[in-house]
Amino acid sequence: MGHTVPMGGGAKLITPGDPEQVFRVESNIGRGSYGSVYNAVRHSDQRPVAVKLLNIGETKASRDALDHEIEALKMCSSPFIVAFEGAYLEREQRILWIAMERCFCSCLDAMQTRAAPLSEGEIRMICASALSALEYLHDKLRFVHRDVKASNLLLTRDGRCKLCDLGVAAELGPGGARAHATRAARPVPRASRASRGRRARPAHAAQVSAAR
């Protein structure tokens, strides 16, 4: 069972089950500094998801960092942040699968595909959504995202924008001091059998209101 594999102090954060049996991986979406993301379908309900594959690493620090990222994702419940769909361990390869809501494309993809900048209305919607996501992270969870960029702002097929990737988020301690930062995992190539910050500023609430 996936939940019996030790992973820092957060084995309880891992969803039971073999990810290669839970999901059917379809295609690569992209590769970043800390892992690769794939389109996939969950067998149980044919739900389309995106899965990020990360190497757990050998050190306690790297495992604790991944625990922190999963915990942050599980805590999020906002229409402006990509929904968490579970975290699974591939026992033999020591690879973590993080399943998330699947979106259509990133803002960066949209601009590159049509070789043109976004319209003023599109920019307004994206900025308002991003600021709403940041407001939620700052006020409700006491997190600073620290990596807001076009490739981490995802667009859905019905025209909404959602913030993704809490991998380098930092938790704010008392008085706004950064208490903990994530992201110590190593990047991982596709190697599975399935398919082998800064301190939060009080002014951000006014910025959200102005953007809407």
Side-chain angles (χ1 to χ4, degrees), residues 53-65:
L53 273 59
L54 295 166
N55 191 308
I56 294 172
E58 301 299 327
T59 67
K60 183 178 185 300
S62 66
R63 295 191 297 270
D64 286 348

Side-chain angles (χ1 to χ4, degrees), residues 63-131:
R63 295 191 297 270
D64 286 348
L66 285 174
D67 285 348
H68 183 69
E69 179 175 359
I70 296 169
E71 192 164 19
L73 287 167
K74 291 186 74 170
M75 290 168 62
C76 285
S77 180
S78 167
F80 302 104
I81 297 174
V82 170
F84 176 67
E85 297 284 350
Y88 299 78
L89 272 178
E90 182 182 325
R91 181 191 291 270
E92 295 180 6
Q93 300 293 332
R94 301 290 294 173
I95 292 172
L96 176 70
W97 295 44
I98 297 179
M100 300 162 287
E101 171 187 7
R102 188 196 292 187
C103 295
F104 180 62
C105 69
S106 72
C107 292
L108 180 62
D109 292 333
M111 290 186 288
Q112 290 178 335
T113 298
R114 64 187 186 185
L118 299 171
S119 70
E120 182 177 339
E122 291 168 335
I123 293 171
R124 186 183 303 114
M125 180 276 292
I126 290 166
C127 287
S129 297
L131 288 168

Side-chain angles (χ1 to χ4, degrees), residues 18-182:
D18 180 351
E20 294 180 334
Q21 301 300 317
V22 175
F23 302 105
R24 180 179 74 251
V25 176
E26 296 184 328
S27 59
N28 178 270
I29 301 174
R31 188 183 303 273
S33 300
Y34 297 98
S36 297
V37 183
Y38 298 85
N39 281 322
V41 173
R42 188 165 57 200
H43 288 301
S44 61
D45 56 4
Q46 297 302 300
R47 178 177 175 81
V49 297
V51 293
K52 179 166 64 173
L53 273 59
L54 295 166
N55 191 308
I56 294 172
E58 301 299 327
T59 67
K60 183 178 185 300
S62 66
R63 295 191 297 270
D64 286 348
L66 285 174
D67 285 348
H68 183 69
E69 179 175 359
I70 296 169
E71 192 164 19
L73 287 167
K74 291 186 74 170
M75 290 168 62
C76 285
S77 180
S78 167
F80 302 104
I81 297 174
V82 170
F84 176 67
E85 297 284 350
Y88 299 78
L89 272 178
E90 182 182 325
R91 181 191 291 270
E92 295 180 6
Q93 300 293 332
R94 301 290 294 173
I95 292 172
L96 176 70
W97 295 44
I98 297 179
M100 300 162 287
E101 171 187 7
R102 188 196 292 187
C103 295
F104 180 62
C105 69
S106 72
C107 292
L108 180 62
D109 292 333
M111 290 186 288
Q112 290 178 335
T113 298
R114 64 187 186 185
L118 299 171
S119 70
E120 182 177 339
E122 291 168 335
I123 293 171
R124 186 183 303 114
M125 180 276 292
I126 290 166
C127 287
S129 297
L131 288 168
S132 293
L134 295 176
E135 180 180 44
Y136 173 82
L137 291 174
H138 294 172
D139 292 352
K140 301 297 185 183
L141 303 185
R142 300 292 292 164
F143 277 105
V144 179
H145 187 277
R146 302 199 306 161
D147 197 23
V148 179
K149 56 188 179 183
S151 58
N152 282 341
L153 292 167
L154 305 185
L155 302 172
T156 65
R157 289 188 179 275
D158 60 357
R160 292 173 294 146
C161 179
K162 300 195 174 196
L163 182 64
C164 73
D165 198 347
L166 300 183
V168 293
E171 186 175 359
L172 293 174
R178 196 172 73 213
H180 183 53
T182 72

